[in-house]
Amino acid sequence: MSRHASRFLTLLVATCVACVAQSFAQTPKVSPAELAKRLPRIPATEPKDALKTIRVAAGFSLEMVASEPLIADPVDACFDADGRMYVAQMHGYPYSLEKRPQQLKKIGKKDAGAIRILEDTNGDGRYDKSTLFAKDISWPTSVCCYNGGVFVIAPPHIYYLKDTNGDNKADVREIVYSGFSRSNVQGLANNLKWGLDNRIYAAGGRNGAEVSHRGKTPFTLGRRDIRFNPKTEDIEPVSGGLQFGHSMDNWGNRFVCSNSNHIQQVIYEERDLKRNPYYAAPATVRSIAREGGASPVFRTSPPEPWRIVRQEWRAAKAGYRLVRNADGSWKFVAQGKPSGRPPEYPIGYFTSATGVTIYRGGAYPKAFQGNAFIGDVGANLVHRKTLTATGATFVAARADKGEEFITSTDNWFRPVNFVNAPDGTLYVLDMYRETIEHPFSVPEEIKAHLDLESGHDRGRIYRIVAPRMKRVRPIKLAKASSADLVAQLELPNSWNRETAQRLLWERQDKSVVPLLQQLVRKSNFALARLHALWTLDGLEALTTQDLVIALVDKHAGVREHAVRL
């Protein structure tokens, strides 16, 4: 995209912002006292009582593994080779210190974000030690382990942070990439993930970027995602460009989401499209939800009072009246001759989908393997999807009939993201906020009765527990021998395989090449053969004979990756 095009998009955003502002300006005349009665503040639930508000389907349950004061504002996490959890704390949300198209005043906190390390020191499965690893960064949205440190997205930068003296505090702090736009707090780059190809991928968000690498500008991002080689720091765009959420399944298929379209698949990767510049490809990302992107959801929490008032005002402006039915559902009733279509209903559908994540652990029954978990932070719930392959694409279908996998009656429950954990379970990151809404989407009259930063000192992390689940104590891999790391590739839990492959690639220990080749030829586990191939490739030891064997593998996924390699 040219600089002229970028300026045009900036102008377009500003114009759209002005249009929305004008629509909010024409609100009914209500006295502040009357409005205050309709907009009571909602109290928080303390951590000790949080589980009483939560319901989980299919016989599963939740365990709280961390809460305030150990953490606050968790939006992403990763586990190092010894199972310590690095947590990105997005303090400062939703405001910024600088002016932006959707925030015309400097009302935010300066570099309020932080990264914390959580440790379970007594092995009881709950974190009891929290260390401030890094601070003074703005809007950290993601964290990803590499070579004893972590990459962190905190727009406009991607940092590399590392502790070199053992005090759990980052003394290495490098800005590796920069230029990621901060124009919209809900369109930031996010969710760094390791790929099978020994590269780190991230969702680019919707803000775009003029991506620079240590002062050099290689490309304009536009509406795309990124991947980079953490060793060489080569970076390139890949297909994508949606909102907060980015995940891969065991075979490298990528999934993303947007607020009102809760699960989408990246169909055409840019690396493949580049091979034929004359091919006019359709959209690179496709919605795959059988029930539709903004499908119905079944919340157990009441709608926030401000949300009802806002929709009443929007309805009145279009010539409708919002009415609640006896069963608790809502409808719009025309008043005279409506001037347009009614707005969306205040509850009952996906409006704030986030954190789409494929479960890849080894602790849950087979029926849950490869399921997608998506939060709807506005509805205080977690939705679950089954994925069925249909050729090169998937169909995602509701897994829990007539209910959601997790719901809470607490309006503060905000499940923004998920992470596959070393113990084979899935963790839920609950930002825990009284309100989690873009400031610009709330009329000023209503906003005067809210505190959009309420909860900045709170946050919870939960472990999802299956019925009769066998507890597994995570294995420490940092000092494991290279041969032992190869053995980890045959385990069902993705964290073990992914961490082992990463460590082998970081070490570049070619003594394990015969062991990896043995896996390619004789392992009974298709995913072990897959990881062995990509590890050999990362060690620059993949041979023609390895590929010939993989090209006739009994599993189609292995054959597919052999073709790519």
Side-chain angles (χ1 to χ4, degrees):
M1 184 189 298
S2 69
R3 295 184 183 273
H4 294 292
S6 297
R7 292 193 190 100
F8 171 76
L9 285 177
T10 301
L11 177 62
L12 182 61
V13 168
T15 302
C16 291
V17 166
C19 292
V20 175
Q22 185 178 10
S23 70
F24 280 144
Q26 301 176 18
T27 53
K29 293 181 179 180
V30 182
S31 71
E34 182 182 350
L35 191 56
K37 289 181 181 179
R38 295 203 60 192
L39 298 175
R41 294 288 295 278
I42 300 172
T45 301
E46 296 305 317
K48 64 182 179 63
D49 298 318
L51 291 174
K52 299 174 186 176
T53 73
I54 293 172
R55 187 176 72 192
V56 189
F60 279 64
S61 61
L62 288 190
E63 293 178 348
M64 186 179 290
V65 298
S67 66
E68 68 268 16
L70 291 182
I71 55 159
D73 284 340
V75 298
D76 192 26
C78 66
F79 296 90
D80 72 7
D82 282 339
R84 301 185 307 166
M85 181 162 53
Y86 287 77
V87 182
Q89 300 190 141
M90 197 178 176
H91 300 320
Y93 175 92
Y95 298 118
S96 65
L97 191 64
E98 80 277 16
K99 294 181 181 179
R100 297 176 288 116
Q102 296 182 356
Q103 180 195 297
L104 303 181
K105 296 180 181 180
K106 299 179 180 180
I107 55 178
K109 297 180 175 68
K110 180 177 174 60
D111 296 335
I115 307 297
R116 282 195 171 270
I117 298 177
L118 297 187
E119 297 178 76
D120 171 13
T121 62
N122 58 15
D124 68 352
R126 290 173 171 81
Y127 295 90
D128 51 81
K129 181 181 178 181
S130 175
T131 307
L132 183 60
F133 177 69
K135 62 179 182 177
D136 299 330
I137 54 179
S138 184
W139 285 349
T141 61
S142 188
V143 60
C144 183
C145 293
Y146 168 68
N147 196 30
V150 291
F151 283 96
V152 173
I153 297 180
H157 307 305
I158 295 181
Y159 296 89
Y160 181 69
L161 308 174
K162 188 174 182 178
D163 163 32
T164 61
N165 58 16
D167 65 354
N168 283 354
K169 297 181 184 298
D171 50 82
V172 172
R173 182 181 179 126
E174 300 176 349
I175 296 176
V176 183
Y177 309 104
S178 194
F180 294 90
S181 173
R182 295 165 53 84
S183 64
N184 185 340
V185 71
Q186 292 187 356
L188 303 171
N190 61 89
N191 276 281
L192 295 158
K193 304 289 183 186
W194 273 97
L196 285 164
D197 56 359
N198 305 301
R199 300 295 184 269
I200 296 176
Y201 289 71
R206 286 182 163 173
N207 289 340
E210 291 287 337
V211 181
S212 63
H213 169 232
R214 299 190 187 272
K216 299 179 181 178
T217 305
F219 62 86
T220 298
L221 184 62
R223 289 282 293 275
R224 294 179 291 182
D225 295 343
I226 58 169
R227 74 168 177 172
F228 60 90
N229 181 326
K231 286 185 179 180
T232 66
E233 297 181 1
D234 291 337
I235 185 170
E236 62 181 331
V238 296
S239 300
L242 292 176
Q243 285 183 283
F244 192 87
H246 177 227
S247 186
M248 303 176 192
D249 67 8
N250 284 330
W251 298 94
N253 298 297
R254 293 200 297 126
F255 301 88
V256 291
C257 64
S258 60
N259 281 351
S260 57
N261 195 337
H262 61 290
I263 182 166
Q264 300 171 66
Q265 181 185 351
V266 177
I267 305 295
Y268 298 99
E269 286 287 4
E270 188 150 323
R271 63 173 179 262
D272 299 321
L273 297 177
K274 282 182 177 178
R275 297 188 308 180
N276 185 353
Y278 301 104
Y279 174 59
T284 58
V285 179
R286 181 177 300 173
S287 178
I288 60 170
R290 176 176 290 168
E291 300 85 5
S295 66
V297 294
F298 302 95
R299 65 187 290 171
T300 57
S301 58
E304 298 99 320
W306 70 263
R307 199 176 293 276
I308 298 299
V309 172
R310 183 182 66 177
Q311 294 307 87
E312 286 179 352
W313 290 3
R314 289 177 174 177
K317 184 175 183 298
Y320 293 86
R321 183 166 55 92
L322 182 62
V323 176
R324 190 166 191 175
N325 299 315
D327 62 358
S329 62
W330 300 82
K331 66 180 178 181
F332 290 103
V333 178
Q335 302 286 92
K337 294 183 178 180
S339 61
R341 297 175 60 184
E344 63 186 23
Y345 288 100
I347 64 171
Y349 299 89
F350 265 110
T351 60
S352 47
T354 179
V356 58
T357 299
I358 308 302
Y359 172 65
R360 302 170 57 204
Y364 302 160
K366 185 176 180 180
F368 291 81
Q369 304 294 321
N371 285 186
F373 291 79
I374 308 110
D376 188 302
V377 292
N380 321 114
L381 59 85
V382 176
H383 180 78
R384 182 169 68 98
K385 281 279 195 286
T386 60
L387 298 180
T388 303
T390 57
T393 62
F394 290 86
V395 172
R398 167 177 284 279
D400 303 290
K401 187 176 181 180
E403 62 179 342
E404 301 303 336
F405 186 69
I406 299 173
T407 58
S408 174
T409 56
D410 183 2
N411 286 116
W412 287 56
F413 177 62
R414 310 293 184 181
V416 296
N417 215 345
F418 310 86
V419 58
N420 284 283
D423 64 0
T425 67
L426 192 69
Y427 280 21
V428 181
L429 304 184
D430 175 11
M431 196 174 182
Y432 205 75
R433 289 284 190 124
E434 182 180 356
T435 304
I436 191 163
E437 190 79 9
H438 197 297
F440 198 79
S441 67
V442 182
E444 293 298 326
E445 296 91 339
I446 293 177
K447 204 183 306 180
H449 298 272
L450 306 176
D451 178 0
L452 299 191
E453 294 180 287
S454 176
H456 64 86
D457 55 349
R458 293 178 180 267
R460 289 92 193 262
I461 300 178
Y462 298 93
R463 173 192 292 116
I464 300 176
V465 179
R468 299 175 297 281
M469 186 181 80
K470 183 180 179 181
R471 303 286 178 151
V472 176
R473 179 167 288 190
I475 302 171
K476 294 187 176 183
L477 296 179
K479 295 182 180 179
S481 70
S482 294
D484 286 341
L485 291 178
V486 172
Q488 295 290 312
L489 301 180
E490 293 210 83
L491 295 183
N493 190 31
S494 66
W495 179 84
N496 297 77
R497 299 193 309 273
E498 196 169 84
T499 303
Q501 179 179 327
R502 173 173 67 83
L503 294 175
L504 289 168
W505 182 68
E506 290 173 5
R507 294 178 185 182
Q508 289 293 301
D509 181 0
K510 292 183 170 55
S511 69
V512 298
V513 168
L515 294 176
L516 292 167
Q517 291 176 327
Q518 190 79 352
L519 280 187
V520 172
R521 288 156 175 77
K522 295 190 176 181
S523 175
N524 292 320
F525 187 33
L527 289 172
R529 303 195 297 273
L530 174 71
H531 280 277
L533 282 171
W534 279 108
T535 307
L536 286 167
D537 181 67
L539 295 175
E540 298 182 353
L542 188 65
T543 68
T544 300
Q545 187 59 32
D546 297 328
L547 287 174
V548 167
I549 291 170
L551 284 167
V552 293
D553 192 278
K554 60 185 177 181
H555 195 287
V558 176
R559 299 195 301 270
E560 174 189 338
H561 282 268
V563 169
R564 181 171 296 166
L565 283 162

